[in-house]
DNA sequence: GTATGGATCTTCT
DNA sequence: GAAGATCCATACA
């Protein structure tokens, strides 16, 4: 399957298959371990309101990066999916750092191996705390609004398609609308996810 | 360990 | 002018 067709599929499939792929930008890279799917048919998606100057990227060609600022502080990275004209995207929520950890730590302004509360036995992996959140990973990779609407195939931000990892599904995080949809995908047993798991 | 509030900016009403 | 797909420090139990 051509890489360009990878994103031209139902957003739930792409969200699942992106877990295990590698994102790289700004001299750093990491494996995707957590994603969330968003689709114009449900109100939590920015595309729900239709095409606006802001959301037109979501309706654009699949394989495009949609970057937006959340709470005035954090940039969040999405991969546009489905056919052009359909508003859908996958939010990248967490990475397992694989390259450029020193750059990440520098941009994040903290130790590359800072432990986080709740880390269990098995969770002492190098790099936890650097990319375990949607706002954190963009900061660690140096991604900002300047990367909005750029291609994930040949633009500054690249996603290398890899063999998908086993995932578990659950509810999305931090939203108030359509929060009950099980559209979050986490790599099984990975310590780099943003939260261990939502309660049932 | 859980709870709360502040930082700070783009977009739409 | 208000809301929002967040993170972190701080306060309290």
């Amino acid at each position: 399957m051509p890489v360009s067709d990878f994103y031209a599929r139902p957003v739930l499939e792409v969200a699942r298959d992106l877990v295990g792929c590698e994102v790289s930008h700004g001299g750093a890279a990491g494996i995707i371990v957590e994603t969330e799917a968003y689709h114009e048919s449900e109100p939590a998606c920015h595309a729900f309101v239709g095409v606006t100057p802001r959301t037109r990227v979501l309706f654009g060609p699949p394989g495009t990066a949609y970057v937006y600022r959340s709470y005035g502080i954090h940039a969040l990275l999405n991969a546009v999916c489905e056919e052009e004209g359909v508003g859908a995207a996958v939010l990248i929520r967490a990475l397992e750092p694989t390259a450029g950890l020193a750059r990440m730590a520098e941009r994040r302004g903290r130790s590359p191996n800072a432990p986080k509360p709740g880390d269990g036995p098995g969770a002492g992996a190098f790099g936890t705390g650097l990319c375990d959140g949607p706002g954190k990973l963009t900061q660690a990779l140096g991604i900002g609004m300047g990367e909005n609407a750029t291609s994930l195939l040949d633009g500054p931000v690249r996603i290398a398609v890899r063999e998908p990892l086993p995932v578990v599904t659950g509810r999305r995080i931090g939203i108030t609308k359509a929060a009950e949809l099980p559209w979050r995908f986490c790599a099984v047993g990975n310590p780099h996810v943003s939260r261990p798991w939502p309660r049932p």
Side-chain angles (χ1 to χ4, degrees):
Chain A
M1 166 171 69
V3 181
S4 56
D5 290 348
F6 179 85
Y7 300 95
R9 295 183 293 148
V11 66
L12 290 176
E13 289 186 18
V14 180
R16 181 195 62 208
D17 291 348
L18 273 176
V19 176
C21 297
E22 186 173 45
V23 181
S24 59
H25 179 268
I31 301 292
I32 298 171
V33 296
E34 185 176 351
T35 63
E36 283 178 6
Y38 288 88
H39 189 270
E40 64 182 39
S41 64
E42 43 91 16
C45 184
H46 290 172
F48 182 71
V49 298
V51 180
T52 70
R54 174 205 201 183
T55 62
R56 78 174 180 282
V57 176
L58 288 169
F59 293 88
T64 303
Y66 170 55
V67 182
Y68 79 99
R69 192 160 294 280
S70 174
Y71 292 87
I73 306 179
H74 306 287
L76 272 59
L77 174 64
N78 300 252
V80 176
C81 298
E82 310 224 358
E83 301 295 330
E84 187 165 352
V86 178
V90 175
L91 169 68
I92 313 297
R93 281 194 58 88
L95 302 179
E96 174 181 342
T98 55
L101 272 69
R103 301 287 307 272
M104 292 187 184
E106 185 180 343
R107 283 191 279 249
R108 295 271 298 116
R110 14 188 67 226
S111 158
N113 202 15
K116 59 175 178 171
D119 275 353
F126 187 67
T128 48
L130 276 180
C131 296
D132 54 353
K136 293 178 170 185
L137 72 90
T138 53
Q139 184 185 10
L141 294 183
I143 296 172
M145 295 301 292
E147 280 69 40
N148 188 27
T150 61
S151 171
L152 295 171
L153 278 45
D154 56 8
V157 183
R158 303 295 179 93
I159 296 183
V161 177
R162 300 279 174 81
E163 198 63 25
L165 294 171
V167 297
V168 283
T169 61
R171 291 190 249 214
R172 294 176 293 181
I173 293 173
I175 58 177
T176 57
K177 289 167 287 197
E180 72 285 354
L181 293 175
W183 285 11
R184 177 179 174 226
F185 298 84
C186 279
V188 174
N190 193 292
H192 296 272
V193 296
S194 64
R195 310 185 68 177
W197 198 241
R199 286 187 297 190

